[in-house]
Amino acid sequence: MKQYLVFTMTKQPTKQETPADTHYSSYDAVEEKLGIRVERNLAQDRLAELGIRSWPKWGCPPSKFPWTYDASETCYLVKGKVKVYPDGSSNYVEFGAGDLAILPKGMNCTWDVSVALDKHYKFDF
């Protein structure tokens, strides 16, 4: 599992400042596991940058179902919690409200929704 910290600067450094002198408004933990990338607790400026609020919405009650990705999906969970189990694995990736997940094209998996979902999504064909 790879983990990263992604920093969002509130301003660009001047010639007299270094990036270490600037103030950071937020950071997001980024995790890559089992082919799924998750950005935790997305900042409002990142939501705006991606235009997430203009993406279609989808939701479901707690449930468990198989899914195959014919295209890469990027989704932002407004509400809920899910564990995604790639086929052939007992391991899973869990994400929830405030997280952005990118699920790769070609993935076969099972979604185990423990808390009702409300998400914005887009597919990249």
Side-chain angles (χ1 to χ4, degrees), residues 10-124:
T10 57
K11 64 177 187 135
Q12 293 294 321
T14 64
K15 289 183 180 181
Q16 293 81 25
E17 296 175 320
T18 67
D21 295 325
T22 58
H23 300 284
Y24 295 94
S25 63
S26 62
Y27 69 91
D28 305 310
V30 178
E31 175 185 332
E32 290 185 27
K33 180 180 173 186
L34 303 172
I36 300 169
R37 179 184 171 100
V38 179
E39 293 182 38
R40 308 268 179 209
N41 301 313
L42 226 58
Q44 290 299 313
D45 53 349
R46 180 87 166 115
L47 289 171
E49 173 189 324
L50 295 171
I52 288 172
R53 303 263 188 240
S54 67
W55 298 356
K57 285 183 87 176
W58 179 84
C60 73
S63 53
K64 191 172 186 177
F65 56 90
W67 194 257
T68 298
Y69 285 94
D70 296 328
S72 174
E73 178 187 11
T74 302
C75 61
Y76 173 74
L77 271 60
V78 177
K79 296 178 185 174
K81 185 183 274 189
V82 63
K83 291 178 182 174
V84 177
Y85 293 83
D87 280 2
S89 178
S90 59
N91 294 317
Y92 60 86
V93 175
E94 184 174 48
F95 51 97
D99 295 341
L100 179 93
I102 302 172
L103 299 109
K105 179 180 180 177
M107 175 177 271
N108 296 305
C109 59
T110 298
W111 277 55
D112 186 357
V113 179
S114 58
V115 178
L117 288 184
D118 183 15
K119 71 175 185 173
H120 287 280
Y121 69 93
K122 74 170 185 159
F123 289 103
D124 294 316

